[in-house]
Amino acid sequence: MTSGVRPIDVLLQRAGVRGHQRAPSDSKEFHEVTKRDALRLLENDVDRLLQTTEPARRPALQAEMGRFADLFGRFLQEEGPALDWNKIQKLPENAVMNYSNLKSPKNEQIRNMLDKLVVIKLNGGLGTSMGCHGPKSVIPVRSDLTFLDLTVQQIEHLNKTYDANVPLVLMNSFNTDEDTEKIVRKYKGFRVQIHTFNQSCFPRISREHFLPVAKDFDVEKDMEAWYPPGHGDFYDTFRNSGLLKKFIGEGREYCFLSNIDNLGATVDLNILNKLVGEERATTPVEFVMEVTDKTRADVKGGTLIQMENKLRLLEIAQVPPEHVDDFKSVKTFKFFNTNNIWANLSAIDRVLRERTLNMEIIVNNKTLENGLRVVQLETAVGAAMKCFDGAIGINVPRSRFLPVKKSSDLLLVMSNLYTLKNGSLVMSPQRMFPTTPLVKLGENHFSKVKEFLGRFANIPDIIELDHLTVSGDVTFGRGVSLRGTVIIIANHGDRIDIPAGAILENKIVSGNMRILDH
């Protein structure tokens, strides 16, 4: 749990106001009474919300709100980080396989393997952080193709090449569902079956009184009062959609799940071979987390640990403050989680039926536009790892982790660093190193996609680039080439125009440089 919110402190204060002083305020009994009261108050408030919706919708919403109340109840029980640092064990030698040790399947087996697979993309995010409206998946990223276009192309190519029928499933949120449904229609003629389902819609909680801020169940009327509770919500909502049962009934065995904005997360036949092909282990592997080598740019990303003889995901939010530096150390924790997950469908069904799914709660503090401070409770899909048998990590090449979170990532994927092949981005053979350059673009002038595109006549040649930092009012002419380490800093009030055809190699450009038409 993140620091900054101690639910019990808020609840003790509330309990005092409501006159619950039945036991000394520092006693365990008092804490338990207070927690029970808080849960009861929340459940009453949720019931009040349910009464504002039409009767036909209530049963489904009641089940959803039941999951929300369970999450809130678990949140009340947790005090401080949900992890005892001293219980972390050394990763066993066989816990993380090296991707290079995996074997490729024989061509004649591939179709049979693909028929056991479902591809799932997490499609709940909006493009607002990059200045775009609607789902993030519809931002053009390469040759006017969106994340969704590229994903459909990849799977259609697999299905055509191997005469297979791999379905694509999109997990939408209430933010992206309507727009995505309209867009998906354009893929009707493609050789891809596309299914969609919605993750839960939970009410945000006020940090002041720990009750929902929503006044009624009209989500459209007050979108800010509601939130999708993280991708850990996948398991329950996938089952509730009926798709889990459908795919198991079709004889499918595994799902491959990843973020739609990770352009490196393509179906990997070598990993699939390990799960359902000739290389299938005698002891079933129910859960695979793709990890990659941690660099200094990834210090906040989740990592793999062994605890109580189980592999599990450790997120920075769970780390006690005094151990944050240890967590960030590249030496101590060598891997970080790409959020590319392979999970056995029957095993998902089992842990849900047996109610053994237990994911750590992530507390996300937000301030709404009206200044109201709220809490949203989330879970991460990878945190379920410890609930499965035979879970392993696979240390994959960095090329399988190519997320686009900022315009600096967009610069990389739009550049000549990559070529586009059947919906997949392939690093140019001209690049001498397998690593991508480190790019930092100033928030004030480059954070929004439209603004970012307006600052480049075309994307520079970065095949030989190691590091780029750009800050301030900077524009780039056509045919610019950047090599080695390039730092361009325009002082406040000044502007720098990099001229067309310029070659900058290991250069620092600062101050003011304008090219004026005459």
Side-chain angles (χ1 to χ4, degrees):
M1 185 177 290
T2 47
S3 57
V5 174
R6 287 204 61 215
I8 197 63
D9 293 340
V10 178
L11 297 168
L12 289 172
Q13 191 179 357
R14 276 176 57 205
V17 170
R18 293 173 186 272
H20 291 309
Q21 301 278 353
R22 303 177 198 147
S25 63
D26 60 348
S27 73
K28 188 177 178 184
E29 181 195 347
F30 178 78
H31 280 223
E32 289 307 316
V33 168
T34 308
K35 288 174 184 175
R36 280 202 302 274
D37 285 350
L39 187 55
R40 181 176 53 78
L41 288 166
L42 178 106
E43 286 171 342
N44 289 344
D45 230 46
V46 166
D47 282 343
R48 178 188 58 75
L49 281 175
L50 284 167
Q51 296 312 310
T52 67
T53 189
E54 54 268 26
R57 289 185 67 209
R58 272 180 215 161
L61 291 175
Q62 211 153 7
E64 196 163 293
M65 289 302 100
R67 293 201 303 278
F68 170 65
D70 285 347
L71 192 65
F72 184 76
R74 284 179 47 220
F75 163 67
L76 296 179
Q77 296 302 323
E78 295 182 6
E79 296 182 45
L83 180 120
D84 182 345
W85 194 260
N86 298 319
K87 286 187 178 175
I88 296 178
Q89 302 161 309
K90 193 174 185 293
L91 276 180
E93 273 190 27
N94 60 348
V96 179
M97 284 191 70
N98 199 311
Y99 179 84
S100 60
N101 294 336
L102 295 177
K103 292 181 180 170
S104 300
K106 296 186 179 79
N107 249 28
E108 62 271 17
Q109 296 168 332
I110 294 173
R111 179 188 168 180
N112 188 40
M113 285 165 42
L114 288 172
D115 284 343
K116 293 173 182 170
L117 181 68
V118 180
V119 173
I120 298 168
K121 293 289 180 180
L122 303 171
N123 185 48
L126 292 168
T128 43
S129 64
M130 295 175 76
C132 299
H133 296 293
K136 188 175 182 182
S137 56
V138 300
I139 297 174
V141 284
R142 182 88 191 205
S143 310
D144 286 332
L145 297 170
T146 66
F147 293 104
L148 199 47
D149 291 336
L150 295 174
T151 300
V152 170
Q153 275 193 16
Q154 289 164 18
I155 295 175
E156 185 182 50
H157 174 68
L158 268 182
N159 287 339
K160 280 183 170 175
T161 305
Y162 300 106
D163 192 25
N165 183 24
V166 178
L168 170 64
V169 179
L170 302 173
M171 181 170 91
N172 299 331
S173 69
F174 66 91
N175 286 317
T176 62
D177 178 53
E178 196 178 326
D179 287 338
T180 302
E181 287 298 338
K182 289 175 190 167
I183 292 154
V184 160
R185 291 176 199 149
K186 76 175 183 179
Y187 304 117
K188 271 208 167 133
F190 287 68
R191 188 168 166 171
V192 183
Q193 281 182 23
I194 301 176
H195 305 268
T196 62
F197 70 98
N198 266 17
Q199 67 179 117
S200 302
C201 175
F202 285 175
R204 283 175 165 149
I205 306 164
S206 160
R207 282 181 69 186
E208 188 183 345
H209 49 63
F210 274 61
L211 291 174
V213 297
K215 299 287 184 285
D216 56 44
F217 239 109
D218 190 346
V219 177
E220 295 288 322
K221 191 172 75 180
D222 187 8
M223 300 276 273
E224 275 213 311
W226 303 85
Y227 74 100
H231 38 59
D233 187 50
F234 157 73
Y235 302 99
D236 276 307
T237 49
F238 184 48
R239 175 188 58 182
N240 295 344
S241 71
L243 289 171
L244 176 61
K245 185 179 180 182
K246 168 186 161 64
F247 292 133
I248 291 173
E250 290 175 3
R252 300 191 186 272
E253 293 182 28
Y254 281 84
C255 63
F256 170 50
L257 181 144
S258 61
N259 298 344
I260 197 150
D261 66 3
N262 179 5
L263 294 173
T266 56
V267 172
D268 188 279
L269 296 175
N270 294 4
I271 296 176
L272 192 59
N273 194 27
K274 173 72 184 166
L275 299 175
V276 298
E278 270 196 336
E279 296 300 308
R280 184 197 289 253
T282 46
T283 309
V285 175
E286 291 186 349
F287 194 99
V288 172
M289 180 182 288
E290 291 187 36
V291 296
T292 193
D293 290 341
K294 197 170 175 178
T295 68
R296 294 190 192 284
D298 313 310
V299 291
K300 290 183 179 177
T303 192
L304 264 186
I305 59 168
Q306 178 88 349
M307 196 166 176
E308 294 166 345
N309 300 315
K310 281 273 194 179
L311 263 189
R312 57 195 279 179
L313 174 66
L314 175 64
E315 299 274 12
I316 195 165
Q318 299 161 251
V319 178
E322 65 273 20
H323 289 290
V324 166
D325 287 343
D326 299 330
F327 175 83
K328 290 181 176 180
S329 162
V330 178
K331 287 180 183 171
T332 314
F333 298 104
K334 294 188 293 187
F335 308 116
F336 87 98
N337 170 29
T338 63
N339 218 38
N340 298 347
I341 305 286
W342 303 73
N344 182 284
L345 297 175
S346 297
I348 292 173
D349 185 51
R350 185 192 74 237
V351 298
L352 287 168
R353 273 188 291 105
E354 295 176 356
R355 299 179 67 83
T356 52
L357 190 66
N358 174 26
M359 293 168 284
E360 287 77 16
I361 295 170
I362 298 163
V363 179
N364 197 343
N365 297 309
K366 298 259 183 187
T367 302
L368 304 185
E369 278 184 16
N370 61 6
L372 190 67
R373 296 192 310 154
V374 296
V375 171
Q376 53 188 52
L377 306 178
E378 303 175 7
T379 54
V381 68
M385 186 178 206
K386 64 180 188 288
C387 310
F388 291 85
D389 297 329
I392 61 167
I394 295 181
N395 185 13
V396 297
R398 186 76 185 198
S399 57
R400 289 194 59 74
F401 184 67
L402 196 59
V404 180
K405 305 290 183 193
K406 296 180 174 181
S407 54
S408 50
D409 302 320
L410 204 52
L411 177 74
L412 294 173
V413 301
M414 293 177 83
S415 74
N416 62 342
L417 206 58
Y418 296 99
T419 52
L420 192 59
K421 190 178 178 187
N422 304 313
S424 300
L425 291 183
V426 182
M427 191 175 279
S428 166
Q430 291 176 281
R431 175 80 176 166
M432 299 294 284
F433 316 102
T435 54
T436 52
L438 186 62
V439 175
K440 295 178 182 176
L441 301 178
E443 287 289 314
N444 291 342
H445 294 83
F446 289 86
S447 63
K448 309 298 182 201
V449 172
K450 191 176 177 184
E451 201 174 29
F452 157 83
L453 292 172
R455 292 186 170 274
F456 294 93
N458 67 350
I459 302 297
D461 165 12
I462 61 169
I463 287 283
E464 294 177 41
L465 180 70
D466 297 324
H467 178 118
L468 173 68
T469 294
V470 182
S471 178
D473 188 358
V474 179
T475 64
F476 292 80
R478 188 169 291 278
V480 171
S481 184
L482 305 172
R483 301 170 187 173
T485 296
V486 178
I487 297 169
I488 306 168
I489 299 172
N491 298 333
H492 184 68
D494 290 339
R495 177 169 150 185
I496 293 176
D497 293 328
I498 304 298
I503 298 171
L504 299 180
E505 183 168 3
N506 297 323
K507 288 279 188 288
I508 296 175
V509 181
S510 64
N512 182 18
M513 183 172 76
R514 293 198 67 174
I515 296 162
L516 302 171
D517 292 329
H518 63 84

